[in-house]
Amino acid sequence: MGAAGFIEPEKLYGYYFLAELSLSGLIRPVPGILPLAILARDEEAKGLVVSRGNAREAAIVRELPVYAPDTLLECVQFLRGELLIEPQPETSVDPSRSSSPSMGADFAEVKGQLAAKRAMEIAAAGNHNILLIGPPGSGKTMLAQRLPGILPPLSFEESLDVTRVYSVAGLLSPEEGVLRERPFRAPHHTVSNVAMIGGGRNPRPGEVSLAHRGVLFLDELPEYAKASLEALRQPLEDGVVTVSRAAGTVVYPARCMLVAAMNPCPCGYLGDAGHACSCSAEQVAHYRHKLSGPLLDRIDLHVEAPAVPYSELRAPTRPEDNRWSSAAMSERIIAAREIQRKRYAGSQTRCNAELSGSTLEKYCALTESCHALMQSAMSRLALSARAYSRILRVARTIADLAGEDAISESFLAEAIGLRALDRPV
Ligand SMILES: Nc1ncnc2c1ncn2[C@@H]1O[C@H](COP(=O)(O)OP(=O)(O)O)[C@@H](O)[C@H]1O
Ligand SMILES: [Mg+2]
Ligand SMILES: [Zn+2]
């Protein structure tokens, strides 16, 4: 309209526009408004013009006037100064609203499983990926669903960061506003590579990006196609996914915690007190072998979640169980994260899970007696060098949860115990 002389070009300066224009001149909504609104704010736009259907989403962003004319004609009149359009009121951000399945679910509801809860707390405190191993019905899914609820609350900017992935994916309903809960995604093991990682002809974020700043839960880990698991490795390492297409590449954020679950063997009951396992040693080895390799390398913690005996399931909640309520766990996790934030301030590292090479050496120094313990564990369990660095990172987190500077033998021993898959079957 500017080029055709309907509007003086300088009246357009500083405005951003994103919508679909119908042949009749109606202005229609499109997905992906929030990222543009954030960009427009960062570039100090004079205003963002969107369809009425997108106005609420755009107005999540503060300090950006958002205008929503109904038609192209109204838009032109507005820009010429002939029609007054009031800016859209800022969308209120109600912290109690949520679409996450973990909302309201509390670790206190999971009976028994103290070792698994402790491991979840360590995982959340250091941002470590974790694998739960146990028979069907022991509560692995319950545990995983409660993880987003004990991670530190999202800041407003982090919420925007999460919401814009949903915006681009077209998964944000107009009423929803900004997402305040950490996401929880649980793609089925039949998920396609594109659905997991992102991509397609019109590229869309995959599950790993929809789980950004939240939890990606892979139930029955050995059932996933090897190719999907391998494809996850890079995003988990880099925190971003790069999707190529003919016209160039798209980068989506993908900084999530991975929680995986699996049975101890194909029938599910290896080591279970109540059921006999019907698998041969080869079947067990084959089943576990499916996991070997790159993805398992990204998982710092393996923990067993055995079946909970009936007596424990029916036992009433005792006062000491409060220690394992989501609120109590969350408090300890926030304190441990604060220690990491201070320790790593000004460096590339944000949390213990990211320690490697020289930072690992620097922050996870061991005393002589710890070295001796580590050495005997490594030869007894035939641990690899990779297992070694994973144990050190986890020991660092355990020390942070205890508020201690030094890694003691007991912290190290606990970390060594959290490598169930490294032990012989
Ligand atoms: N430790 C537990 N405490 C309380 N309820 C449990 C526990 N374990 C299992 N349940 C019950 O059994 C159901 C199935 O648990 P689930 O987490 O799906 O097991 P899994 O994922 O290990 O197969 C749950 O919905 C819950 O009702
Ligand atoms: Mg389950
Ligand atoms: Zn079995």
Side-chain angles (χ1 to χ4, degrees), residues 101-392:
S102 74
M103 183 68 177
D106 198 296
F107 270 97
E109 294 152 359
V110 183
K111 304 275 186 174
Q113 298 300 13
L114 288 190
K117 287 187 208 171
R118 166 71 175 160
M120 293 300 260
E121 177 172 315
I122 295 166
N127 209 37
H128 304 283
N129 299 326
I130 181 170
L131 171 64
L132 303 168
I133 305 159
S138 66
K140 300 182 295 299
T141 299
M142 277 184 95
L143 288 162
Q145 284 171 337
R146 283 158 179 76
L147 184 58
I150 58 169
L151 293 171
L154 289 172
S155 70
F156 182 70
E157 284 299 319
E158 286 174 327
S159 288
L160 281 187
D161 203 24
V162 172
T163 309
R164 70 176 160 176
V165 177
Y166 284 74
S167 169
V168 169
L171 292 176
L172 205 60
S173 66
E175 311 80 54
E176 205 143 27
V178 62
L179 302 174
R180 298 311 307 261
E181 293 282 313
R182 291 186 184 266
F184 178 84
R185 300 294 297 186
H188 190 254
H189 56 72
T190 54
V191 66
S192 74
N193 233 344
V194 164
M196 182 76 108
I197 301 303
R201 214 148 54 88
N202 281 318
R204 273 175 46 117
E207 291 294 335
V208 67
S209 296
L210 293 169
H212 178 55
R213 297 199 183 280
V215 171
L216 180 66
F217 177 48
L218 304 184
D219 204 357
E220 309 195 37
L221 187 64
E223 304 299 328
Y224 288 77
K226 208 154 185 145
S228 323
L229 296 184
E230 307 241 310
L232 270 179
R233 189 176 68 110
Q234 207 62 52
L236 288 177
E237 202 136 320
D238 301 343
V240 293
V241 181
T242 307
V243 176
S244 335
R245 57 168 176 178
T249 56
V250 191
V251 179
Y252 295 123
R255 185 168 301 136
C256 60
M257 260 182 85
L258 176 68
V259 180
M262 67 184 276
N263 295 334
C265 64
C267 86
Y269 292 108
L270 181 68
D272 191 78
H275 299 75
C277 165
S278 59
C279 310
S280 68
E282 291 87 77
Q283 282 174 315
V284 175
H286 176 75
Y287 181 74
R288 298 210 175 172
H289 189 70
K290 287 200 221 168
L291 291 181
S292 63
L295 184 69
L296 209 54
D297 280 348
R298 305 301 319 150
I299 301 181
D300 284 347
L301 296 157
H302 318 151
V303 60
E304 270 153 324
V308 177
Y310 179 68
S311 57
E312 235 174 290
L313 275 182
R314 54 158 291 207
T317 311
R318 296 153 305 181
E320 62 266 34
D321 294 334
N322 268 340
R323 196 174 149 69
W324 299 105
S325 67
S326 290
M329 291 167 79
S330 173
E331 218 171 277
R332 298 191 289 268
I333 288 159
I334 288 172
R337 289 266 181 145
E338 184 57 20
I339 290 173
Q340 293 166 69
R341 195 187 61 75
K342 288 201 182 116
R343 181 189 309 130
Y344 303 133
S347 80
Q348 294 286 328
T349 310
R350 284 171 306 251
C351 52
N352 295 336
E354 293 175 6
L355 293 174
S356 69
S358 61
T359 54
L360 191 72
E361 248 168 60
K362 180 168 172 197
Y363 297 113
C364 306
L366 294 182
T367 61
E368 277 314 310
S369 56
C370 282
H371 274 303
L373 173 62
M374 191 72 149
Q375 189 172 15
S376 90
M378 292 209 39
S379 58
R380 197 161 31 87
L381 304 174
L383 296 180
S384 66
R386 286 188 155 130
Y388 169 79
S389 35
R390 243 162 263 131
I391 289 168
L392 280 188

Side-chain angles (χ1 to χ4, degrees), residues 13-46:
Y13 293 159
Y15 282 100
Y16 285 61
F17 304 85
L18 186 64
E20 182 180 307
L21 186 59
S22 78
L23 287 176
S24 62
L26 287 177
I27 293 175
R28 294 237 170 97
V30 292
I33 286 293
L34 187 63
L36 181 77
I38 293 170
L39 177 85
R41 175 203 62 188
D42 292 347
E43 300 198 343
E44 294 171 26
K46 212 192 281 175

Side-chain angles (χ1 to χ4, degrees), residues 16-97:
Y16 285 61
F17 304 85
L18 186 64
E20 182 180 307
L21 186 59
S22 78
L23 287 176
S24 62
L26 287 177
I27 293 175
R28 294 237 170 97
V30 292
I33 286 293
L34 187 63
L36 181 77
I38 293 170
L39 177 85
R41 175 203 62 188
D42 292 347
E43 300 198 343
E44 294 171 26
K46 212 192 281 175
L48 172 64
V49 180
V50 298
S51 71
R52 193 169 287 280
N54 284 142
R56 267 182 62 85
E57 183 181 329
I60 288 170
V61 174
R62 300 318 186 222
E63 286 155 40
L64 171 72
V66 172
Y67 303 98
D70 284 317
T71 63
L72 182 63
L73 180 64
E74 277 185 28
C75 182
V76 170
Q77 290 172 331
F78 163 69
L79 291 164
R80 282 174 165 173
E82 299 164 7
L83 175 73
L84 183 73
I85 297 181
E86 289 293 337
Q88 171 78 14
E90 283 181 358
T91 305
S92 73
V93 176
D94 176 355
S96 66
R97 270 192 51 88

